[in-house]
Amino acid sequence: MNTTGKRISAALLACLALTTFGGGAQASFDEHLDNYQLDTKVVKGDRSKDQFGNTVTEQSYYRTGGDVKVITRDEIEKRHYSDLTEAIKRIPGVTFQNPGYRGGEYGYDPFNNGISINGDSRVIILVDGRRVDNVTSARVGSRTGRGTKSTGVNLDQVININAVDKIEVIKGPGASVYGSDATGGVINIITRKGEEANEATLDISTGSWGKHNYDFSYSGSAGNDNSLHYYVGLHRVMSHDTKYRDGHTGDTGTLGGSRFDERSGNIRIDKDFSETDRLTVSINHQQGKDGYPISTPNLQYWNEADWNRIIFAAEVGTLDDQGRLKPNSTVWGRVNKGYHNLFALDGLAYNSFSQYKNNDIDVKYTFDRQADMESFIRLYHQLHTYGDVDKYVWSLPGTGHTSIQDQFNADFPNGATDKEALKTWIKKYLAPFPGGSMSDLEAWVAKTGGKAPAPKYPPDEKKYGVQLQVSRSLGKHDLIGNVTYDKASYYYHDTDENYDIKEYTMRRDSLYGYVQDKIHVNDNLDITPALRFVYNGNYTKNGVSQKGATHAVTPALNVQYKLDDTSSVYAGWTRVLRPLRSEDYISTYGEYKTPLHDEKGNVYTLGYQKTWNKKTTVGVNYSLTDMTNAIAYMPIFTKWTVYENNAPVQKQGFRSTAVNAKEKKTAFNITVDHKLNQYWTVGAAYSHLSDKWGVKSGYVVDPSWGYNDSGDINTGINKLRPANHYTLNVNYEKGKLSSGLLINYYTGANVEAFTARRFLILDWNLNYDVTKDLTTYIAVTNLTNQAYETSSNFRYDPGSSAMPARQMMIGAKYKF
């Protein structure tokens, strides 16, 4: 056997041997900054922090102070994060509002879409400092008209994590350049550049639920002076259906329809003409097809009897004491216990799915560099095509009748008093229990039109623009001026008033401006005033204005002061403005017909950090978000009109409605990092946040929620997430062996929304360097196989967003 064969065999044997340890993968808060890549130069530990203790990155000159965490390439490789979400979720205060599975995470509804930082979902996603959101995006369908604040960006579809060099997470609007709408904060993804030495890496892993991951990258430089740097990355990940642990029963279930298959390719080329001049070309391609499961079934009601109860109440209605059908008596949502189990039909039976294809091109020419600040011009183009097919049929049309209710009344004119007869009727006209007979389920799918077809008209999101930045260092002043012109469009098909399919294009042009002066008053004090300007033009639909033009100038001021060589404090204030999206301007919803307004307010931040003996660092951060207008989205008693047989029918009940409101949100974060010795490091963190809303009198929340103050429609917002998040990271590294244990502890969860008040989750990883070129590893998430949720939804029972059960991945990485 040749040397290469021996190495591969050794890797496989090591992986098999390591399985006896059990464990999972995550990171610590030490950020692994002793030796990392900055631009095209290696930065040692003494350059990783500035004089105030702030982490230095390619774009850190934009910010002054702030609560910032940086995840480096070294950490990504050692912890084996499978995607960007997994890498970032370990940061206290950062929450992903999805059930934890991949398929359908970002396609269905606001509760299942987006990212929040310190409880605020007004978050901006960047790649190399450029915004990737699209202001015409309709990623949450028509629900923008009800006030969703989703970013409209699926983080895991932005770029393959194998192409990521660093992830910079900025809590709050401390980095003013990124926009007045970054109220919650910023996630800046910095891509990998070619290194000096040519090197290829192959990383292959496999594990639970038939998950397979393949990564290949090639990085290097060319030319006599190595001035041309290049990076090429290829990635594929696929998985069968995810398993989850149910918090009601403690049983492990399979989430039907959660399988996925995603692929990507990335190219980045950097040409250095001098120390200050560089041309960078980045090309990113991603595509995938994900299942569409929507929610995790409640196994407490996962049986045929409960299924029949749930689907009959939701699709047909409620019976009186004589077995007669009450008019307009269908029961949806959490009042119908186990209601969300019906969504299992979508993914499990009909194979509903979402698919996407992204192609991004970014060309940036840097023509000057002073005091680490860049002056550049950038051209960019994004084309994102996505579509979803959510097919389900709960009932068959009645024979010779106009509705399933008519069929029931015809078959039981004197009421359904015979339980067996009713059961037979349900079996004939309503969808069968997905956990029962597969032949019955397949027969039902066949007679209701078959499985989900490919989407006929997948919509496109397109964005292109130009960005110019000029930076100058003049004495004590570091000045930055930045302007971006952005053209966004959304192309889709919809039915017109005659129910004919028509093509529509929504467009909006935007202009962003920014001026900052970082004043180095002395070696101990930086003061950074900034002004931001934003102009959003009218939305146009097929060339016809839909209104919505808005413009504003928002100031910001950040100050950082070095108390001594080991500690510093910072304070910041910024005025924020978040413009509404397209549907918010052209539709109102519910009985109140509330016209929505742009969200406006102020954010205040305070922070302190201290280092003892170069081994222990403590950071304390507090922020207050005071919104004079925010949008609340909760169920309110309202009236609406539906059309049945082309005739309007008035209905009433509790339904999600968007209203203008005042909001005061406070967030508190504390982190402690300690290096025990040359082998062991420990990081601990705590995060707490709370909202206080004020709304128009007269709005009443659903009494089935059981709130003491039902007049406050937003009481439930804090109930939809745990109040406290504790983390403890323990890391060991010695010679060829390295390992990390992450403990996440969530407390203060309300049992109206969660299956338990607290959850303790462990993730673990282990790496072993077989040779200098070959590393084997194990990564296990949810090591103790706990049932838990990190988010909830007001419509459904607790546990509808259950996170995945224990998953193990074993793999090998080879460099050549």
Side-chain angles (χ1 to χ4, degrees):
M1 183 181 295
N2 59 29
T3 302
T4 301
K6 290 180 179 178
R7 288 176 175 177
I8 294 174
S9 298
L12 295 174
L13 289 171
C15 287
L16 291 172
L18 290 176
T19 59
T20 58
F21 286 92
Q26 289 297 343
S28 74
F29 292 94
D30 59 15
E31 300 174 350
H32 299 278
L33 292 173
D34 291 335
N35 187 347
Y36 72 104
Q37 194 80 8
L38 179 61
D39 225 341
T40 56
K41 300 177 181 179
V42 174
V43 173
K44 299 298 181 182
D46 58 354
R47 274 291 315 277
S48 67
K49 303 280 187 177
D50 65 15
Q51 74 268 32
F52 299 104
N54 303 314
T55 301
V56 176
T57 69
E58 285 83 345
Q59 283 129 34
S60 58
Y61 60 83
Y62 287 124
R63 46 183 165 86
T64 301
D67 187 2
V68 181
K69 287 295 178 183
V70 177
I71 302 170
T72 67
R73 184 68 215 166
D74 184 54
E75 179 178 320
I76 292 170
E77 291 186 348
K78 287 184 176 179
R79 310 309 167 200
H80 310 288
Y81 299 129
S82 62
D83 50 48
L84 288 161
T85 299
E86 187 175 320
I88 297 172
K89 71 180 183 182
R90 58 90 178 180
I91 298 176
V94 178
T95 302
F96 288 85
Q97 294 141 324
N98 59 57
Y101 50 82
R102 192 126 178 169
E105 282 182 353
Y106 293 83
Y108 181 66
D109 217 346
F111 82 92
N112 204 14
N113 187 305
I115 307 158
S116 69
I117 297 179
N118 286 339
D120 197 323
S121 59
R122 291 160 288 210
V123 175
I124 299 302
I125 309 298
L126 311 165
V127 174
D128 292 325
R130 176 180 60 82
R131 296 175 62 130
V132 296
D133 59 311
N134 185 314
V135 295
T136 63
S137 173
R139 288 296 177 105
V140 288
S142 61
R143 291 168 179 81
T144 53
R146 306 179 199 174
T148 177
K149 290 186 274 285
S150 164
T151 62
V153 175
N154 181 340
L155 186 65
D156 290 328
Q157 294 177 6
V158 170
I159 196 166
N160 151 36
I161 195 169
N162 196 41
V164 174
D165 186 63
K166 290 183 216 58
I167 309 169
E168 186 178 25
V169 180
I170 306 169
K171 299 180 184 178
S176 303
V177 66
Y178 298 128
S180 60
D181 53 340
T183 313
V186 171
I187 297 175
N188 185 23
I189 302 159
I190 300 172
T191 60
R192 294 176 70 177
K193 314 169 190 67
E195 300 185 22
E196 293 290 336
N198 295 341
E199 182 178 82
T201 301
L202 180 64
D203 191 338
I204 300 176
S205 58
T206 186
S208 306
W209 318 323
K211 184 175 181 180
H212 307 291
N213 188 82
Y214 309 92
D215 279 310
F216 171 80
S217 63
Y218 189 72
S219 173
S221 60
N224 295 330
D225 55 356
N226 291 330
S227 62
L228 179 67
H229 297 262
Y230 50 84
Y231 169 82
V232 178
L234 300 173
H235 172 77
R236 184 177 184 184
V237 60
M238 65 188 79
S239 176
H240 297 314
D241 289 343
T242 300
K243 292 186 182 296
Y244 69 98
R245 190 83 182 275
D246 179 65
H248 299 281
T249 65
D251 297 332
T252 299
T254 299
L255 184 57
S258 56
R259 55 201 167 276
F260 61 87
D261 187 351
E262 299 183 347
R263 313 173 191 194
S264 65
N266 309 92
I267 299 173
R268 173 166 173 166
I269 299 173
D270 292 88
K271 171 61 178 176
D272 294 322
F273 299 104
S274 69
E275 291 185 358
T276 60
D277 291 34
R278 173 185 299 155
L279 177 66
T280 301
V281 179
S282 300
I283 301 173
N284 174 42
H285 170 79
Q286 298 223 150
Q287 66 181 62
K289 183 176 181 180
D290 302 331
Y292 206 69
I294 301 177
S295 68
T296 49
N298 182 338
L299 297 184
Q300 184 179 10
Y301 304 113
W302 192 245
N303 57 74
E304 187 172 9
D306 276 308
W307 176 269
N308 289 344
R309 169 188 61 80
I310 296 166
I311 198 170
F312 186 88
E315 189 72 350
V316 185
T318 307
L319 303 180
D320 62 18
D321 294 339
Q322 285 75 44
R324 295 187 178 91
L325 185 64
K326 299 176 184 178
N328 298 321
S329 60
T330 52
V331 182
W332 301 343
R334 59 195 292 130
V335 180
N336 186 354
K337 294 298 182 182
Y339 169 77
H340 66 271
N341 284 11
L342 299 181
F343 301 149
L345 280 173
D346 303 45
L348 180 59
Y350 289 94
N351 289 347
S352 296
F353 64 91
S354 61
Q355 63 183 27
Y356 70 95
K357 183 182 292 185
N358 298 345
N359 289 294
D360 300 340
I361 301 175
D362 189 308
V363 180
K364 176 182 173 184
Y365 178 64
T366 302
F367 54 84
D368 194 16
R369 185 186 298 270
Q370 295 185 15
D372 290 329
M373 300 183 300
E374 292 182 313
S375 295
F376 61 82
I377 185 168
R378 160 184 267 153
L379 302 173
Y380 57 89
H381 183 274
Q382 293 181 184
L383 176 59
H384 295 176
T385 301
Y386 67 94
D388 56 70
V389 180
D390 182 20
K391 183 176 181 180
Y392 60 95
V393 181
W394 289 357
S395 65
L396 291 175
T399 305
H401 297 277
T402 57
S403 70
I404 191 66
Q405 287 83 8
D406 290 339
Q407 183 67 55
F408 177 86
N409 291 328
D411 292 340
F412 299 99
N414 299 316
T417 55
D418 187 332
K419 292 184 178 180
E420 287 302 316
L422 178 59
K423 185 177 179 180
T424 300
W425 187 91
I426 289 174
K427 186 173 183 179
K428 179 179 180 180
Y429 287 105
L430 301 182
F433 172 50
S437 168
M438 287 304 299
S439 60
D440 287 351
L441 190 64
E442 290 171 358
W444 175 267
V445 171
K447 65 184 176 183
T448 53
K451 297 184 183 295
K456 290 184 178 179
Y457 308 108
D460 289 338
E461 289 178 358
K462 185 182 293 185
K463 181 171 103 164
Y464 58 92
V466 58
Q467 185 177 40
L468 173 65
Q469 175 169 301
V470 177
S471 305
R472 289 290 182 270
S473 182
L474 303 174
K476 295 180 178 292
H477 301 266
D478 285 344
L479 299 166
I480 305 173
N482 187 306
V483 61
T484 303
Y485 177 63
D486 188 278
K487 296 180 70 69
S489 63
Y490 172 56
Y491 171 79
Y492 64 104
H493 288 74
D494 203 354
T495 54
D496 61 12
E497 62 276 6
N498 298 318
Y499 298 97
D500 295 325
I501 299 293
K502 285 189 63 177
E503 297 179 359
Y504 295 93
T505 301
M506 187 76 73
R507 300 183 187 276
R508 194 183 210 187
D509 295 350
S510 301
L511 182 67
Y512 303 94
Y514 165 80
V515 177
Q516 171 182 293
D517 181 11
K518 181 176 287 190
I519 308 169
H520 304 290
V521 178
N522 53 49
D523 292 340
N524 298 325
L525 176 63
D526 278 1
I527 300 176
T528 309
L531 282 178
R532 297 171 298 197
F533 170 77
V534 59
Y535 170 76
N536 293 300
N538 286 326
Y539 282 99
T540 63
K541 189 174 183 179
N542 285 4
V544 178
S545 174
Q546 305 295 300
K547 301 182 180 181
T550 182
H551 62 88
V553 176
T554 55
L557 179 65
N558 290 282
V559 178
Q560 186 155 28
Y561 181 68
K562 181 179 177 182
L563 298 171
D564 53 42
D565 289 340
T566 63
S567 61
S568 67
V569 295
Y570 68 85
W573 162 76
T574 185
R575 179 77 175 159
V576 295
L577 168 73
R578 179 194 174 272
L580 300 175
R581 291 186 178 267
S582 58
E583 294 295 326
D584 297 330
Y585 288 105
I586 62 178
S587 65
T588 54
Y589 188 75
E591 178 186 18
Y592 304 103
K593 302 295 183 186
T594 307
L596 300 179
H597 305 296
D598 291 338
E599 295 187 293
K600 299 178 181 179
N602 296 278
V603 179
Y604 308 89
T605 59
L606 292 170
Y608 170 78
Q609 52 191 15
K610 170 77 173 179
T611 300
W612 283 279
N613 301 323
K614 296 184 179 182
K615 290 185 177 182
T616 305
T617 301
V618 176
V620 181
N621 303 278
Y622 172 84
S623 68
L624 168 65
T625 301
D626 186 3
M627 301 296 291
T628 55
N629 184 66
I631 296 174
Y633 173 73
M634 292 292 286
I636 304 173
F637 188 85
T638 184
K639 299 175 182 178
W640 68 94
T641 302
V642 298
Y643 285 85
E644 297 179 359
N645 302 320
N646 296 323
V649 177
Q650 294 293 321
K651 292 195 174 186
Q652 63 181 18
F654 288 91
R655 203 170 185 191
S656 299
T657 303
V659 294
N660 299 304
K662 294 183 179 180
E663 177 194 15
K664 284 193 175 181
K665 178 179 64 67
T666 58
F668 175 76
N669 296 281
I670 181 169
T671 61
V672 179
D673 300 321
H674 179 65
K675 188 170 184 178
L676 295 170
N677 53 43
Q678 60 179 324
Y679 307 123
W680 291 92
T681 58
V682 177
Y686 167 70
S687 175
H688 175 80
L689 55 99
S690 180
D691 286 337
K692 177 63 178 177
W693 293 78
V695 297
K696 184 178 179 179
S697 61
Y699 298 151
V700 181
V701 78
D702 189 339
S704 69
W705 280 49
Y707 294 145
N708 294 326
D709 181 12
S710 63
D712 179 5
I713 69 165
N714 300 290
T715 304
I717 287 181
N718 283 315
K719 295 179 184 288
L720 298 179
R721 61 191 176 218
N724 306 296
H725 180 194
Y726 303 83
T727 59
L728 177 65
N729 294 270
V730 181
N731 292 275
Y732 175 81
E733 188 166 352
K734 181 180 180 181
K736 296 182 177 182
L737 185 69
S738 64
S739 182
L741 175 69
L742 171 67
I743 302 172
N744 278 293
Y745 187 43
Y746 301 92
T747 69
N750 193 289
V751 292
E752 294 178 39
F754 294 87
T755 57
R757 296 190 182 278
R758 56 188 63 88
F759 306 103
L760 180 65
I761 312 302
L762 279 66
D763 300 321
W764 179 76
N765 73 278
L766 183 68
N767 303 275
Y768 182 75
D769 296 331
V770 179
T771 70
K772 66 182 183 67
D773 297 320
L774 180 64
T775 300
T776 60
Y777 58 87
I778 287 181
V780 180
T781 55
N782 196 1
L783 178 64
T784 55
N785 200 29
Q786 296 295 304
Y788 75 108
E789 311 99 50
T790 58
S791 62
S792 186
N793 178 261
F794 51 73
R795 287 197 185 97
Y796 312 132
D797 296 328
S800 62
S801 298
M803 298 292 280
R806 177 171 51 230
Q807 182 183 44
M808 177 188 297
M809 297 292 291
I810 61 174
K813 181 172 63 176
Y814 181 65
K815 297 180 180 180
F816 55 95

